[in-house]
Amino acid sequence: MKRYWQVLRLFWSTAIAAEMEYRLNFLIAALSSLGSLAGSLFGLFLFYRTGYTFTGWSWEAALLVLGIFTLLQGFAATLLAPNLNRIVRHVQEGTLDFVLLKPIRSQFWLSTHTLSPWGLPDLIFGSIIIGYAGKSLGLGISNYLLSAVPLLFGLAILYSLWFMLGATSIWFVKIYNATEVLRGLLEAGRYPMVAYPTAYRFFFTFVVPVAFLTTIPAEVMLGRGQINWLIGAGVLAVVLFWVSSGFWRFALRFYTSASS
């Protein structure tokens, strides 16, 4: 484990040094994140401007969901997208051969090799929204600490789904459209699940588990989370992570190296 931490520190320090050569990109990323957040806030405002509220969700409570969604966007832009989207390029160019030959688990290498600071604006904006909404609702530090558990489960679920999708590039090579479809589905996490009709709630809970990414952590933060949903989130995170590892090993059986 110590060796992995040392490798991780080397990966990220090198990646940040390389990315900071283009500092204007950070400003562009911040403006892009701000524009996206403004659009999300405007969309939520359209629901609440006439006094309408989602059942059980005040304006501030809905802001918690949006803040958590923004945090997940930042996590995806910082770690997932710059790493997992490159699996396609490794397969196309045959450089996956070199990854598989390294004395380290290939899934770890592919998942952590690069770190992009351009997701930091979303992490900052998401934290600000959660802090503002939490202050308005009178939440304490214990509320935030409790919600960290389902939030970590949500991060594991999001990573596992994205990684499995990236692993399919061994068969299909170009999966950019499929990645965009996944990101589009995850957009539903901007709002509480009660905002959608029953059929959509079922889909976004049991088919594409968007509810476990934003709504459930928000409910735990509000102090009304149900233990069965929390346990379900933990089980789903563990199962999906285990499945993603097994699916990667299965996919490698069909990988034809560049030299063969």
Side-chain angles (χ1 to χ4, degrees), residues 118-134:
W118 315 137
L120 289 178
D122 276 330
L123 294 174
I124 294 172
F125 294 149
S127 300
I128 291 174
I129 293 176
I130 291 173
Y132 167 78

Side-chain angles (χ1 to χ4, degrees), residues 91-141:
V91 174
Q92 287 178 322
E93 299 177 357
T95 52
L96 183 59
D97 294 13
F98 302 111
V99 177
L100 298 176
L101 290 173
K102 296 181 184 298
I104 193 171
R105 290 188 63 182
S106 57
Q107 183 174 353
F108 176 84
W109 195 99
L110 292 168
S111 302
T112 62
H113 183 257
T114 301
L115 184 74
S116 174
W118 315 137
L120 289 178
D122 276 330
L123 294 174
I124 294 172
F125 294 149
S127 300
I128 291 174
I129 293 176
I130 291 173
Y132 167 78
K135 183 177 181 181
S136 300
L137 292 167
L139 302 183
I141 187 66

Side-chain angles (χ1 to χ4, degrees), residues 56-58 60-62 64-65 137 139 143 147 217-225:
W57 293 86
S58 64
E60 291 79 8
L64 285 180
V65 177
L137 292 167
L139 302 183
N143 296 90
S147 66
E219 288 182 333
V220 172
M221 189 178 296
L222 291 168
R224 62 190 192 199

Side-chain angles (χ1 to χ4, degrees), residues 10 14 69 94 134 137 146-147 164 171 195 197-198 200 205 240 253 255 257:
L10 179 62
T14 303
F69 172 81
L137 292 167
L146 287 174
S147 66
M164 284 190 286
W171 291 284
T198 304
Y200 287 90
T205 302
L240 282 179
R253 297 179 186 178
Y255 174 66
S257 67

Side-chain angles (χ1 to χ4, degrees), residues 172-205:
F172 306 114
V173 184
K174 294 183 179 180
I175 60 164
Y176 295 112
N177 291 337
T179 302
E180 289 305 313
V181 169
L182 175 63
R183 295 180 70 169
L185 290 173
L186 295 178
E187 291 288 323
R190 293 177 184 268
Y191 309 116
M193 283 296 106
V194 296
Y196 303 100
T198 304
Y200 287 90
R201 286 183 230 169
F202 180 87
F203 179 81
F204 288 126
T205 302

